[in-house]
Amino acid sequence: MTELFEKSIRTLELPAVLEMLAQRAVSEAAKERCRKLTPSTEVEAVLRLLAETDAAKDRLGLYGSPSFSGVKDVSASLSRADHGGMLNTRELLDIAALLTASRRVAEYDAERQGEATVLDQMFSSLHANRFLEEKIHATILDEDTIADNATSELADIRRKMRIAATKGRQILQRIISSPSYAKVLQEALITQRDGRFVVPVKAECKGSLPGLVHDISSSGATLFVEPMGVVQANNELKELQAREEKEIDRILRTLSADCADQMNNILWDYDILVHLDVIFARAQLSYALNASRPEVRKRGGVVLRKARHPLLDQAKAVPITVSLGDTFDTLVITGPNTGGKTVTLKTLGLLCLMAQCGLHIPADDGSAVQVFERVLADVGDEQSIEQSLSTFSAHMSNTVEILRQADEKSLILFDELGAGTDPIEGAALAIAIIQHARGKGALTAATTHYAELKTFAMTTADVENASCEFDVATLRPTYRLLIGIPGKSNAFAIASRLGLDESVIEAAKEQMDSESVRFEDVLTQLEEKRQRLEKAQGEADRLWRQREDDARKARTFREQMERAKDNARSKGEAEARRIVRDAQQKAEEIFAELDQLRRQQQKAANFQAINDARTAVRHSLKEAEDALHLHDEPTEPIPVPSRPIREGDLVELPGVRMVATVLHVNDDGTLYLQAGKMKMTTKSTQVRLVEAAEEIEKKKKQQSARTSTGPAVRLASRASSELDIRGMETLECESVVENYLDAAVMAKLNTVTIIHGKGTGALRKKVHELLKRNKAVKSFRLGRYGEGEAGVTVVELR
């Protein structure tokens, strides 16, 4: 990598992106590797790096990130152990933590299911040495503590140490508790000096307590004396402490040797874990930037769709769509200052470098990058006082070196090419530099204010104009990149907007040559035409999206209707089968009741009950049969009535085959109907006229005449074994029940059933009051299971 390439990497701010990457790594080694990432110049290597990022991103979304805590560099410790050195407890605990991390990462991969990825080999190559890991943790409790049960020898030594310490303390306790030594001791306490138990004795009483003096206080008033009776216990404790240290050294040397035996596996795992830490950091950065994997090309240029600079706020950054190298090899970007030209250049170069580092780029799907051997950029103010370089000289020095290194595998980015000198000479020089770079086969993007370069791009094959849009109304850039349209400086418009006198602006325009004026007018016309076309395209896109949305809704509705139709058919068939089963069951129950009635006949045959039962059976079977074949019958057309339907007519609802009476004809032509106890409103075109009101009245008169000839017989023939009063008011039901009981008595019915429903119980209570007062009632009870339970009352007549 050349020095100019490294400088261009810094200019394009790749280190800042790598620092964002490092913040997402866990181990210090992985953070350092992230900061030192360099763009790969081999297509195969770039594809492998991106495949690793893809696999890690998929795992991250499904299973979360593996834990890389405890991953530390232990190579120095293992090298010393391999040479026979003894590791301390801190070093051994670091090795155990690394073994724990290796085991957990291996277990993380074991839980994954799915297709093989490029990461599988890394995960499978980890050496999970749980035996050594647990051995270290069981032996070393913390950095300062070795477990008693590390070895049986250490456990025995520490047991004896506790006995010796207890023995010495007991002797000292008797001394400080003895009244005879109360005047000798400075304080009644036991302390330690040089690891031996002592008591504080007054200096003037040192002869009163025989023993060894181990220390004197700073004032000289207190001597710390080890009584002679404790010397033996302290000596024994001292010997045991020496043995303990020797045993601990032996334990640590054994553990160090065990680690040295596994040095190669542990170092391999460390390297794999750091590498995986970097890969998963790349995946986390991809999620943070809402990035995606670009297509990687060996040649064919760069295509970025809705790309965003990674260092900008992703929620506020205006995406740009830019291409270079597919249909043209040079892009000339013009427009006002602060309009986004430099950001466009940096985005183009930086996203190529990110992809070559194995990072996903913040751009939409369909983006593609070419793998360049070098990305060379001259961006920003390179003025240097120390080196006596002006802005132009500094840029030209960079340009000279860029042209020297340029070839067909290079991406060259020029910011304000030719600026800092005479405009005419600068424009001519800029055109010549671009032509020279093109001659070497490099892909070039340059920003400029020179009108000559706009003309050059318009008249030269494979060179394309682009501009950064500027809103003159608000004096603010929109940061949108427009390919194929040269930009305007908008100096006159901005000056006018800011209040500069029109005479001054007109005078300035007169200073321009006619060619420049015509060129600016052409640009203005192009911009107006572009805006009109963009508006028309936006409207067309809106209509197309609306059409697609309507088509999608129509498909969804059709699918829902198909599903509803299938569900209705299935439910209808199931309901029909249920009705048949219920009808058959009811028929069996009724026939059983008929047999019972025949057996109970004594004096007069109860023909009325038999007829009612048979009629009920036929009616139930007919209803079941109708329900069963309801879905198979073709829909009959509704005939047009011979005259308008009027109040009092009988009409039929074809869909449910129900006859209803017309209660009222509404003003809008709809009919207010009553079918049984149900009332509804429907259109006149949805019903079939059955009988006119005149025919109904005529039949009523005929029926009345027949009834007058034999009322008792007719009344008896109409009596039924059941009365349904559900839905009636308590006052309304009183007369209905009384009339029904009279008819039942005349029909010589022994038992009848009154159906009042459960509800609030008010109707049932009223019925029972009426039955108590009626002399024709012998007894009554609520229905049993299968009869309707509390919803019916069974009445036995006299």
Side-chain angles (χ1 to χ4, degrees):
M1 184 181 295
T2 64
E3 182 180 350
L4 181 60
F5 190 9
E6 293 180 354
K7 180 181 178 182
S8 299
I9 288 175
R10 294 192 297 273
T11 301
L12 295 174
E13 300 178 283
L14 179 63
V17 176
L18 297 181
E19 183 60 34
M20 293 172 60
L21 177 66
Q23 297 304 316
R24 286 162 174 79
V26 178
S27 62
E28 290 301 321
K31 291 178 183 291
E32 194 60 29
R33 285 194 191 183
C34 290
R35 297 186 182 101
K36 292 181 178 180
L37 277 179
T38 56
S40 176
T41 57
E42 298 294 331
V43 175
E44 292 75 14
V46 174
L47 290 172
R48 177 180 54 80
L49 290 172
L50 289 174
E52 291 174 351
T53 307
D54 287 344
K57 188 175 181 179
D58 291 341
R59 291 173 187 250
L60 200 61
L62 293 173
Y63 308 103
S65 176
S67 173
F68 295 105
S69 61
V71 178
K72 294 183 180 179
D73 187 4
V74 294
S75 57
S77 301
L78 289 172
S79 178
R80 193 169 76 256
D82 190 49
H83 286 82
M86 183 186 74
L87 305 182
N88 59 38
T89 54
R90 180 70 269 159
E91 292 172 315
L92 289 169
L93 287 174
D94 287 344
I95 292 173
L98 179 60
L99 293 172
T100 301
S102 176
R103 175 176 56 80
R104 287 177 178 173
V105 172
E107 291 173 351
Y108 165 87
D109 179 66
E111 297 175 357
R112 188 190 72 88
Q113 298 178 351
E115 298 180 358
T117 66
V118 293
L119 299 182
D120 292 348
Q121 187 173 359
M122 296 185 197
F123 282 106
S124 61
S125 67
L126 292 172
H127 307 85
N129 193 336
R130 190 160 193 164
F131 174 76
L132 181 57
E133 170 199 343
E134 293 180 348
K135 184 177 181 181
I136 295 174
H137 282 305
T139 301
I140 305 174
L141 302 182
D142 56 51
E143 195 170 344
D144 300 319
T145 308
I146 303 295
D148 289 353
N149 58 354
T151 63
S152 57
E153 179 67 19
L154 182 62
D156 185 60
I157 292 171
R158 287 186 173 173
R159 181 180 58 79
K160 292 179 179 179
M161 287 174 63
R162 288 190 290 270
I163 293 173
T166 303
K167 181 179 178 181
R169 290 182 66 87
Q170 287 175 347
I171 296 173
L172 291 174
Q173 188 65 37
R174 285 196 297 269
I175 291 175
I176 64 175
S177 302
S178 174
S180 59
Y181 291 107
K183 296 182 179 180
V184 176
L185 299 176
Q186 192 73 264
E187 292 181 79
L189 59 85
I190 302 171
T191 184
Q192 278 190 328
R193 287 295 186 273
D194 298 329
R196 302 178 75 88
F197 291 111
V198 295
V199 291
V201 178
K202 297 177 181 178
E204 62 272 17
C205 302
K206 63 179 181 180
S208 303
L209 182 62
L212 303 177
V213 178
H214 287 279
D215 196 8
I216 302 175
S217 66
S218 57
S219 62
T222 304
L223 304 179
F224 294 95
V225 178
E226 179 185 6
M228 293 304 296
V230 186
V231 171
Q232 181 61 34
N234 279 343
N235 287 342
E236 183 181 353
L237 183 61
K238 217 44 170 165
E239 292 174 3
L240 290 171
Q241 288 174 346
R243 288 178 57 191
E244 180 193 32
E245 291 178 2
K246 185 177 180 181
E247 180 62 18
I248 289 174
D249 286 348
R250 189 189 68 78
I251 292 171
L252 295 180
R253 286 187 181 278
T254 302
L255 290 176
S256 301
D258 292 341
C259 293
D261 292 340
Q262 298 294 322
M263 181 177 68
N264 291 335
N265 291 341
I266 295 173
L267 293 179
W268 173 274
D269 285 2
Y270 170 74
D271 188 65
I272 293 295
L273 290 174
V274 171
H275 190 42
L276 288 172
D277 195 358
V278 173
I279 293 173
F280 276 89
R282 299 205 302 259
Q284 291 184 28
L285 182 62
S286 177
Y287 272 113
L289 296 177
N290 192 22
S292 61
R293 173 180 175 163
E295 177 191 348
V296 178
R297 300 173 173 176
K298 193 169 186 179
R299 58 179 58 85
V302 181
V303 178
L304 300 178
R305 302 185 186 278
K306 294 186 178 181
R308 307 168 300 280
H309 195 287
L311 299 181
L312 297 177
D313 185 348
Q314 297 298 295
K316 299 179 180 179
V318 178
I320 61 171
T321 297
V322 61
S323 61
L324 178 63
D326 50 354
T327 58
F328 50 87
D329 56 31
T330 302
L331 185 66
V332 178
I333 306 173
T334 52
N337 289 326
T338 70
K341 301 189 302 296
T342 303
V343 172
T344 299
L345 277 187
K346 286 189 172 183
T347 302
L348 179 61
L350 180 56
L351 266 57
C352 290
L353 294 175
M354 287 176 62
Q356 292 181 218
C357 289
L359 299 174
H360 287 173
I361 62 174
D364 282 4
D365 293 337
S367 299
V369 296
Q370 179 178 327
V371 177
F372 299 101
E373 286 193 359
R374 59 192 65 84
V375 178
L376 307 175
D378 178 36
V379 179
D381 190 356
E382 297 288 336
Q383 181 173 320
S384 173
I385 297 177
E386 292 181 358
Q387 299 179 12
S388 301
L389 293 175
S390 65
T391 300
F392 177 76
S393 300
H395 279 296
M396 194 50 59
S397 298
N398 285 339
T399 302
V400 170
E401 187 61 29
I402 287 173
L403 293 179
R404 185 179 294 118
Q405 297 184 21
D407 58 17
E408 68 278 0
K409 298 180 180 179
S410 301
L411 172 63
I412 299 176
L413 307 172
F414 290 119
D415 188 27
E416 300 294 350
L417 183 59
T421 186
D422 178 75
I424 298 176
E425 294 181 356
L429 194 58
I431 292 173
I433 290 171
I434 290 175
Q435 289 285 48
H436 187 76
R438 293 184 64 212
K440 289 195 168 187
L443 299 182
T444 306
T447 66
T448 183
H449 286 284
Y450 294 143
E452 290 84 353
L453 264 71
K454 303 175 189 177
T455 306
F456 165 73
M458 294 174 67
T459 58
T460 306
D462 297 329
V463 180
E464 187 61 86
N465 266 308
S467 61
C468 291
E469 190 179 48
F470 188 85
D471 189 348
V472 180
T474 61
L475 298 182
R476 291 182 179 179
T478 64
Y479 303 107
R480 294 177 58 204
L481 184 68
L482 307 175
I483 302 292
I485 299 176
K488 294 179 58 180
S489 64
N490 295 302
F492 292 155
I494 295 173
S496 176
R497 181 77 175 175
L498 293 176
L500 186 62
D501 192 274
E502 288 297 327
S503 61
V504 177
I505 295 174
E506 290 299 326
K509 289 181 179 180
E510 292 175 0
Q511 299 298 320
M512 297 178 63
D513 58 73
S514 59
E515 290 296 327
S516 298
V517 172
R518 283 198 299 272
F519 184 72
E520 288 296 320
D521 290 341
V522 170
L523 290 183
T524 301
Q525 294 173 8
L526 286 174
E527 176 63 16
E528 291 174 354
K529 184 178 292 186
R530 181 197 66 79
Q531 291 180 0
R532 288 196 300 271
L533 290 174
E534 188 177 63
K535 185 177 181 180
Q537 182 64 38
E539 180 64 17
D541 291 343
R542 185 189 66 78
L543 292 174
W544 181 83
R545 287 193 299 270
Q546 182 177 347
R547 183 184 67 81
E548 289 294 314
D549 188 52
D550 291 343
R552 179 184 57 79
K553 290 180 179 178
R555 287 193 300 270
T556 303
F557 180 74
R558 186 170 62 250
E559 292 171 358
Q560 291 175 348
M561 291 300 293
E562 290 293 334
R563 287 195 296 268
K565 182 179 178 182
D566 294 341
N567 292 339
R569 183 182 296 111
S570 300
K571 290 181 180 178
E573 293 173 354
E575 181 66 14
R577 287 192 293 270
R578 185 191 65 79
I579 292 172
V580 171
R581 286 196 303 269
D582 292 347
Q584 290 174 346
Q585 182 178 357
K586 185 179 291 185
E588 292 174 358
E589 293 175 356
I590 291 173
F591 281 125
E593 290 180 4
L594 288 175
D595 292 340
Q596 185 177 0
L597 288 173
R598 289 194 189 96
R599 288 192 297 268
Q600 291 178 352
Q601 285 180 347
Q602 296 176 357
K603 295 182 179 180
N606 195 346
F607 297 106
Q608 178 64 42
I610 296 174
N611 290 336
D612 288 343
R614 286 175 176 171
T615 302
V617 170
R618 294 192 187 97
H619 181 68
S620 298
L621 290 174
K622 184 64 170 61
E623 286 182 347
E625 184 178 358
D626 291 343
L628 180 63
H629 299 289
L630 180 61
H631 300 280
D632 298 330
E633 294 181 1
T635 303
E636 298 179 5
I638 300 175
V640 178
S642 57
R643 59 165 179 76
I645 298 175
R646 294 194 296 268
E647 182 176 339
D649 289 347
L650 276 181
V651 295
E652 182 185 41
L653 302 174
V656 295
R657 296 195 173 186
M658 182 183 293
V659 176
T661 303
V662 179
L663 299 180
H664 181 65
V665 179
N666 299 321
D667 295 338
D668 58 357
T670 57
L671 307 177
Y672 186 50
L673 309 178
Q674 178 171 6
K677 297 177 183 178
M678 181 174 61
K679 297 181 180 179
M680 68 195 79
T681 300
T682 184
K683 296 180 180 178
S684 59
T685 57
Q686 296 178 347
V687 299
R688 180 186 293 111
L689 179 62
V690 178
E691 291 182 351
E694 295 81 358
E695 296 175 356
I696 297 172
E697 186 64 27
K698 183 178 179 180
K699 287 186 177 181
K700 286 184 178 179
K701 291 180 179 179
Q702 294 175 353
Q703 183 68 23
S704 177
R706 286 195 300 268
T707 304
S708 62
T709 59
V713 177
R714 298 301 178 186
L715 184 62
S717 64
R718 288 197 305 269
S720 173
S721 62
E722 288 184 357
L723 173 65
D724 190 350
I725 60 172
R726 287 176 294 182
M728 294 186 182
E729 299 290 338
T730 54
L731 294 177
E732 179 185 3
C733 77
E734 184 171 352
S735 60
V736 174
V737 173
E738 292 288 356
N739 292 336
Y740 172 72
L741 293 175
D742 291 343
V745 171
M746 294 181 67
K748 297 181 180 181
L749 299 180
N750 293 328
T751 304
V752 295
T753 301
I754 301 176
I755 305 173
H756 43 66
K758 297 179 181 179
T760 61
L763 199 58
R764 179 178 67 245
K765 183 177 179 182
K766 183 65 176 177
V767 169
H768 289 185
E769 290 177 358
L770 294 174
L771 295 176
K772 289 178 181 178
R773 296 199 303 265
N774 196 305
K775 296 180 179 180
V777 176
K778 182 178 181 181
S779 64
F780 62 90
R781 59 175 175 81
L782 290 176
R784 300 190 181 92
Y785 179 76
E787 294 178 336
E789 300 177 351
V792 303
T793 296
V794 180
V795 183
E796 185 179 357
L797 301 175
R798 296 183 186 277

